Amino acid sequence: MIPISDNIYTRRKPIVNYWLIGINIALFLWELKLELTGELRYLISNLGVIPAQISQAATQALAGNPAAWIVVVMRSTSLLLSMFLHGSFSQILGNLLFLWVFGKTVENIFGARRYLGFYLGSGILTGMIQIIAEPSLSVSLIGANGAIASVLGAYLVKFPKAKIDSVLPLLIVYIPVQIPAIFYLFWWFAQQLFYGIGSLNIPTSINQPSIAYWVHGVGFLIGAAYMRILQRR
């Protein structure tokens, strides 16, 4: 089942959501270009989150090595940059489809500036939790999974009974259906199992199954908690 839109009326155009989707698409096209020239491995190695590199540098810095702080700062930028990279067609299509359907409504609730801060902050925070959860992981982690999960969490707290307009592909026939929003929470997690399909030819390991990779699901709790806080104000 493919989500298309929800039944929640939004008054303002989700400009930030449009920009986030556009930037992700533009950078993925850049990845495709680098794949053709054989430079994609360098990009992923430098911009992907590698927990082992950051945790080792942080350990050395705290032990009194001032030079290690430079490494910590430089590698920490990957917490932000890695959110805009994807390792397969299925990963970017799945993430951006969910962002298109659910992000516009969440942006309408938060407002443009707060939504941007929420999206980026949630992605960075889940990346930090990944490093803490599995500090010895030496593969690159990329994708907007944590931020997308946060958007889902916020949406489901606010609109637990919302209906999502969807299409059900049946051979060459597409049947329009309405699916409860809660269903797509489980569908999003199921998608994580298939993100390797149609992967780019990156000669280094990325997003391999690990405790840290599945910590992306913590993003859902972050989004849900943030929405709860706003509702109590």
Side-chain angles (χ1 to χ4, degrees):
M1 282 165 283
I2 304 173
I4 298 176
S5 183
D6 61 6
N7 60 352
I8 308 300
Y9 172 73
T10 55
R11 294 173 296 175
R12 295 170 295 197
K13 289 186 178 181
I15 300 300
V16 170
N17 212 50
Y18 290 159
W19 272 101
L20 290 173
I21 292 172
I23 292 171
N24 275 281
I25 293 175
L27 289 180
F28 190 72
L29 293 175
W30 184 38
E31 288 183 69
L32 294 177
K33 176 182 178 295
L34 293 179
E35 182 181 15
L36 295 176
T37 60
E39 301 173 87
L40 186 55
R41 177 177 182 174
Y42 178 80
L43 176 74
I44 301 301
S45 298
N46 281 274
L47 301 187
V49 175
I50 304 178
Q53 289 185 357
I54 298 177
S55 61
Q56 289 171 9
T59 300
Q60 293 177 11
L62 293 174
N65 182 356
W69 284 112
I70 300 176
V71 178
V72 172
V73 173
M74 293 180 61
R75 291 303 305 175
S76 293
T77 59
S78 64
L79 291 169
L80 173 64
L81 300 175
S82 64
M83 295 168 53
F84 296 94
L85 300 176
H86 293 82
S88 67
F89 287 96
S90 56
Q91 185 184 24
I92 189 170
L93 288 175
N95 277 347
L96 296 190
L97 183 61
F98 276 71
L99 187 59
W100 171 267
V101 174
F102 298 97
K104 62 181 178 61
T105 304
V106 175
E107 180 180 345
N108 188 69
I109 298 169
F110 288 172
R113 292 183 180 180
R114 180 178 287 177
Y115 176 70
L116 179 60
F118 165 75
Y119 181 90
L120 298 178
S122 297
I124 292 172
L125 184 55
T126 52
M128 294 172 62
I129 295 174
Q130 286 177 319
I131 297 170
I132 296 172
E134 199 165 14
S136 61
L137 188 66
S138 59
V139 301
S140 295
L141 299 174
I142 59 176
N145 306 52
I148 302 297
S150 297
V151 171
L152 270 176
Y155 184 97
L156 290 173
V157 167
K158 183 67 175 180
F159 305 107
K161 297 181 180 180
K163 298 293 184 181
I164 308 301
D165 294 325
S166 313
V167 292
L168 174 62
L170 188 62
L171 296 180
I172 60 173
V173 178
Y174 287 80
I175 302 175
V177 292
Q178 280 196 331
I179 305 296
I182 190 67
F183 167 83
Y184 280 103
L185 167 63
F186 299 102
W187 178 234
W188 183 88
F189 280 102
Q191 278 190 333
Q192 312 307 299
L193 299 174
F194 300 98
Y195 275 159
I197 298 175
S199 60
L200 300 180
N201 185 26
I202 304 173
T204 185
S205 297
I206 62 165
N207 293 353
Q208 296 298 314
S210 67
I211 295 174
Y213 183 61
W214 287 103
V215 171
H216 276 125
V218 175
F220 173 81
L221 300 178
I222 294 173
Y226 187 69
M227 181 61 80
R228 286 287 189 188
I229 293 172
L230 289 183
Q231 288 179 331
R232 293 176 180 176
R233 290 182 177 179

